[in-house]
Amino acid sequence: MANNKAKMILEKDFKISEIDNRIYGSFIEHLGRAVYGGIYEPGHPQADENGFRQDVIEMVKELQVPLVRYPGGNFVSGYNWEDGVGPVESRPRRLDLAWRTTETNEMGTNEFMKWAQLVNADVNMAVNLGTRGIDAARNLVEYCNHPGGSYYSDLRISHGVKDPYKIKTWCLGNEMDGPWQIGHKTAAEYGRLAQEAAKVMKWVDPTIELVACGSSHRNMPTFADWEATVLDHTYDHVEFISLHQYYGNRDNEISNYLALSLEMDDFIKSVISIADYIKAKKRGKKSINLSFDEWNVWYHSNEADKKIEPWSIAPPQLEDIYNFEDALLVGCMLITLLKHADRVKIACLAQLVNVIAPIMTEDNGPAWKQTIFYPYMHTSVYGRGVSLNPIISSPKYDSKDFTDVPYLESTAVYNEEHETLTIFAVNRHLEEGLELAVDIRNFNGYEVVEHIVLENDGNLKQTNSAKGTPVAPHSNGNAKSENGGVTAVLPKLSWNVIRLAKRN
Ligand code: AHR
């Protein structure tokens, strides 16, 4: 029996917001083996007539990814989108200065859009505001979204795509605050450029939504001033400001590592404050929402990446192999995004295949699921509806960088249409199970139908591989409906999904 006890109250009317499904988005960059050898491997036994790996398509569908950001990332800041359209045999090979590789341009906009349709995802298209600018950006919108009768829309039609893609969400460049970025800019330089690019992109298609670049991470020296300056310029023209953040357990301190989602929470709150400050300053009516369009764990592959032969084609890069503890942090980060569903309307797990990804592939071999695949899949599949605001009381601990870290990280999603209620929970306790009692108030007739658990027998560094997936969830959790509520013991260091449905 657990000595650790936590309580949670769920009420239908304690709502944060309807969840925008785009928070379960992901990301494919022309980087490493994400595109070549990941989603696209002609000659592979599982490749379809387009060269797309069907085993990968099936896994992406399992994740129900609603939105995929493309084509970068740092790559986009040196990318000429024109290189990737038209006859494949006449496309140029280019040096990709962002990742010091060679880009063959075999895949480009139309191929990627076809793949996105096959996995039922929308695309979050990024434009190059590094080496290019307003002209290339507005031309790409015209190429993708204008029906016909103009140079670029007719060019698309001549490339075999009659109907416009109607891409709704667009990123105005990538990490323009970072000195590593091709065409790095000051906040004022970027703010002006983003404002003018946004203006004309919307003149081409007024239905699009735009994301301005925020900081590359919370510890950037320009953080906060960057957001304020960029939004000062772009407030009238954009709907979103972006956030990026990656974490790693570099000091091998699990308690501290699992608390990093508290920092993510703080980052989100800070960016909301800055966006609201600009709204107030401008006496504005609209709130700028948040696009957390790069987030994940990223550190395992840092050393290996230093050894990559420059200018190779699609080398293994950023191939983090995730372990069990990474899956727990990813679960905590997903819960954190859900807690901010009123302002975080887009989020992209970076990335999707082979590059810091939930899905890995072997060249000419099988695809397999990383540990982080599971919390991402569970929230994407069961976390649609209304994000509830639970009242939680949990015992707490202190770690190296954090105080008052709750052992219980949890939230819940109510789907009125399907009459389901899903509790997502992580027990951060290293040694003890957490006894959870949930008061479900006015969810009359709701009962536990499944308690999914991702746990591990002591080896926090356990990884999966093409040979097997020792880190995989089971449905033998002990949650049960009791006295109009729910009780469960969440095993030490575990990810839990407690699914309730209304009894007929
Ligand atoms: O996702 C990997 C890289 O991380 C992206 O290209 C860049 O935007 C970020 O620094």
Side-chain angles (χ1 to χ4, degrees), residues 3-7 392-397 404-409 427-429 432-435:
N3 294 322
N4 240 354
K5 293 186 181 188
K7 279 192 198 152
I392 293 177
S393 57
S394 163
K396 295 180 176 160
Y397 68 91
D404 287 335
V405 183
Y407 283 114
L408 175 67
E409 188 61 73
N427 176 6
R428 289 191 176 99
H429 205 293
E432 288 178 29
L434 187 64
E435 210 175 281

Side-chain angles (χ1 to χ4, degrees), residues 27 29 73-74 99 174-175 244 246 294 298 318 351 356:
F27 179 26
E29 177 166 4
N74 296 339
W99 299 104
N174 176 70
E175 294 190 350
H244 290 183
Y246 297 98
E294 286 189 34
W298 174 15
L318 279 63
Q351 299 191 9
I356 42 176

Side-chain angles (χ1 to χ4, degrees), residues 324 371 374 453-455 464 469-474:
F324 173 71
T371 62
Y374 299 105
V453 183
L454 187 69
E455 60 181 329
N464 291 340
T469 44
V471 182
H474 64 75

Side-chain angles (χ1 to χ4, degrees), residues 35-88:
V35 171
Y36 308 108
I39 64 173
Y40 175 79
E41 191 181 342
H44 187 279
Q46 294 270 349
D48 66 9
E49 68 281 8
N50 305 298
F52 299 146
R53 285 185 62 150
Q54 287 165 297
D55 51 352
V56 173
I57 287 177
E58 283 317 308
M59 283 188 190
V60 177
K61 282 188 178 166
E62 233 182 292
L63 291 168
Q64 295 186 17
V65 181
L67 182 78
V68 187
R69 186 165 175 252
Y70 175 84
N74 296 339
F75 170 80
V76 80
S77 298
Y79 182 51
N80 299 330
W81 68 265
E82 303 88 339
D83 291 346
V85 296
V88 176

Side-chain angles (χ1 to χ4, degrees), residues 159-433:
H159 293 156
V161 183
K162 185 170 165 295
D163 295 325
Y165 294 119
K166 298 186 181 158
I167 297 170
K168 183 177 170 192
T169 321
W170 294 74
C171 294
L172 295 162
N174 176 70
E175 294 190 350
M176 301 307 302
D177 62 326
W180 59 85
Q181 200 69 209
I182 303 169
H184 166 224
K185 291 170 178 53
T186 65
E189 286 165 351
Y190 170 69
R192 279 290 298 134
L193 177 60
Q195 175 187 357
E196 290 304 311
K199 197 175 79 183
V200 297
M201 287 165 77
K202 284 190 172 171
W203 283 350
V204 176
D205 182 354
T207 69
I208 61 176
E209 291 188 349
L210 296 173
V211 184
C213 289
S215 295
S216 300
H217 56 82
R218 184 172 168 268
N219 291 330
M220 289 296 290
T222 48
F223 169 58
D225 286 340
W226 173 275
E227 280 76 1
T229 306
V230 167
L231 285 177
D232 213 2
H233 287 289
T234 58
Y235 176 82
D236 288 330
H237 305 275
V238 306
E239 283 68 34
F240 295 93
I241 183 87
S242 76
L243 297 82
H244 290 183
Q245 190 71 54
Y246 297 98
Y247 292 122
N249 189 7
R250 292 192 170 80
D251 302 329
N252 198 19
E253 288 191 40
I254 176 81
S255 303
N256 203 54
Y257 181 53
L258 293 183
L260 283 165
S261 58
L262 272 59
E263 191 190 286
M264 182 192 201
D265 185 73
D266 198 50
F267 187 21
I268 292 172
K269 286 178 183 148
S270 306
V271 176
I272 292 171
S273 312
I274 302 164
D276 290 349
Y277 158 71
I278 295 296
K279 177 183 177 185
K281 184 178 167 192
K282 295 195 178 275
R283 282 75 170 160
K285 285 206 165 41
K286 79 170 179 193
S287 295
I288 298 289
N289 283 323
L290 275 53
S291 171
F292 214 125
D293 48 39
E294 286 189 34
W295 69 270
N296 202 349
V297 170
W298 174 15
Y299 77 110
H300 297 286
S301 58
N302 294 166
E303 286 308 307
D305 285 345
K306 290 180 187 154
K307 299 178 192 133
I308 289 164
E309 186 63 30
W311 316 124
S312 35
I313 297 173
Q317 262 174 315
L318 279 63
E319 297 209 0
D320 271 41
I321 303 301
Y322 293 113
N323 59 33
F324 173 71
E325 65 189 21
D326 298 329
L328 295 183
L329 180 62
V330 163
C332 291
M333 293 173 87
L334 285 157
I335 291 170
T336 305
L337 292 170
L338 281 168
K339 284 181 177 172
H340 290 286
D342 55 335
R343 293 301 287 274
V344 179
K345 300 288 179 186
I346 300 176
C348 301
L349 175 71
Q351 299 191 9
L352 186 55
V353 184
N354 286 334
V355 170
I356 42 176
I359 299 170
M360 299 297 290
T361 67
E362 304 286 296
D363 291 340
N364 214 32
W368 55 277
K369 295 171 184 170
Q370 294 244 43
T371 62
I372 64 166
F373 183 96
Y374 299 105
Y376 179 41
M377 176 186 70
H378 293 148
T379 44
S380 176
V381 172
Y382 300 120
R384 312 263 173 149
V386 171
S387 176
L388 294 179
N389 192 3
I391 309 298
I392 293 177
S393 57
S394 163
K396 295 180 176 160
Y397 68 91
D398 293 343
S399 70
K400 182 166 74 73
D401 300 318
F402 300 92
T403 48
D404 287 335
V405 183
Y407 283 114
L408 175 67
E409 188 61 73
S410 186
T411 197
V413 173
Y414 169 43
N415 190 305
E416 194 171 359
E417 189 193 340
H418 296 115
E419 297 187 310
T420 59
L421 172 66
T422 308
I423 299 164
F424 300 104
V426 171
N427 176 6
R428 289 191 176 99
H429 205 293
L430 267 56
E431 278 136 25
E432 288 178 29

